Amino acid sequence: MEKIYEQTMLYDFYGELLTDHQRSIYEDVVYNDMSLGEIAEERGISRQGVHDLIRRCDRILQEYESKLHLVERFAKAKETVMEIRRLAGSADSTGDSDQTGIADLTKITEPDGQEPGANPAAAEPVGNDGGEVFSHMVDRMQRIAHLAQGLMEEL
């Protein structure tokens, strides 16, 4: 299953760089799940010819990836986005739900774009566990900001 996923990702990024003939046969194997024998019969070529063409396409796509690293960068960006979503929306260790965490975050942010610390009342902790909620939310937001910055630099 992992090989098919890898082939699909490589083809999605670099498939347009293959010839029309290569693309057509590669799509039959990867997307249409056709056997080598089915493709060979349909195209009027040998099964070995189909096999060799698929291996050649795999090698070509791997070579593009080894030089350009687009799939690797995409996977890293996807992981970063998933981590940002997890940090921004998941329940925290104190048991806050998504909505409670968002409400608490809204309460502790500075109004009207003021600098942090300009409004001491806004910086006071909220919730039953006081500073823990505030500290956890600040840590989470700092991690999100760090991940977002890294993602933007990568892109």
Side-chain angles (χ1 to χ4, degrees), residues 129-141:
D129 51 359
E132 258 185 71
V133 170
F134 179 77
S135 177
H136 182 73
M137 299 290 285
V138 169
D139 289 346
R140 189 186 293 183
M141 293 308 296

Side-chain angles (χ1 to χ4, degrees), residues 78-91:
K78 184 177 176 182
E79 287 177 20
T80 301
V81 168
M82 288 172 46
E83 178 70 4
I84 289 170
R85 284 183 178 163
R86 186 191 67 74
L87 289 170
S90 67

Side-chain angles (χ1 to χ4, degrees), residues 76-77 80-81 84 87 140-155:
K76 185 176 177 182
T80 301
V81 168
I84 289 170
L87 289 170
R140 189 186 293 183
M141 293 308 296
Q142 288 174 340
R143 178 75 175 131
I144 289 170
H146 175 75
L147 289 168
Q149 180 181 3
L151 181 60
M152 293 305 295
E153 289 172 4
E154 182 67 29
L155 298 175

Side-chain angles (χ1 to χ4, degrees), residues 49-153:
V50 174
H51 179 266
D52 291 346
L53 185 114
I54 297 303
R55 286 185 52 152
R56 190 174 329 118
C57 289
D58 282 337
R59 189 178 65 248
I60 290 168
L61 297 174
Q62 285 289 344
E63 287 173 3
Y64 283 126
E65 176 60 15
S66 70
K67 293 174 183 167
L68 302 173
H69 306 285
L70 296 179
V71 174
E72 178 184 327
R73 290 173 58 201
F74 173 78
K76 185 176 177 182
K78 184 177 176 182
E79 287 177 20
T80 301
V81 168
M82 288 172 46
E83 178 70 4
I84 289 170
R85 284 183 178 163
R86 186 191 67 74
L87 289 170
S90 67
D92 66 25
S93 61
T94 62
D96 285 342
S97 69
D98 294 350
Q99 294 303 327
T100 303
I102 292 169
D104 287 346
L105 183 60
T106 302
K107 290 177 187 175
I108 63 174
T109 56
E110 302 295 334
D112 302 323
Q114 291 179 351
E115 290 294 316
N119 183 355
E124 289 181 20
V126 295
N128 294 335
D129 51 359
E132 258 185 71
V133 170
F134 179 77
S135 177
H136 182 73
M137 299 290 285
V138 169
D139 289 346
R140 189 186 293 183
M141 293 308 296
Q142 288 174 340
R143 178 75 175 131
I144 289 170
H146 175 75
L147 289 168
Q149 180 181 3
L151 181 60
M152 293 305 295
E153 289 172 4

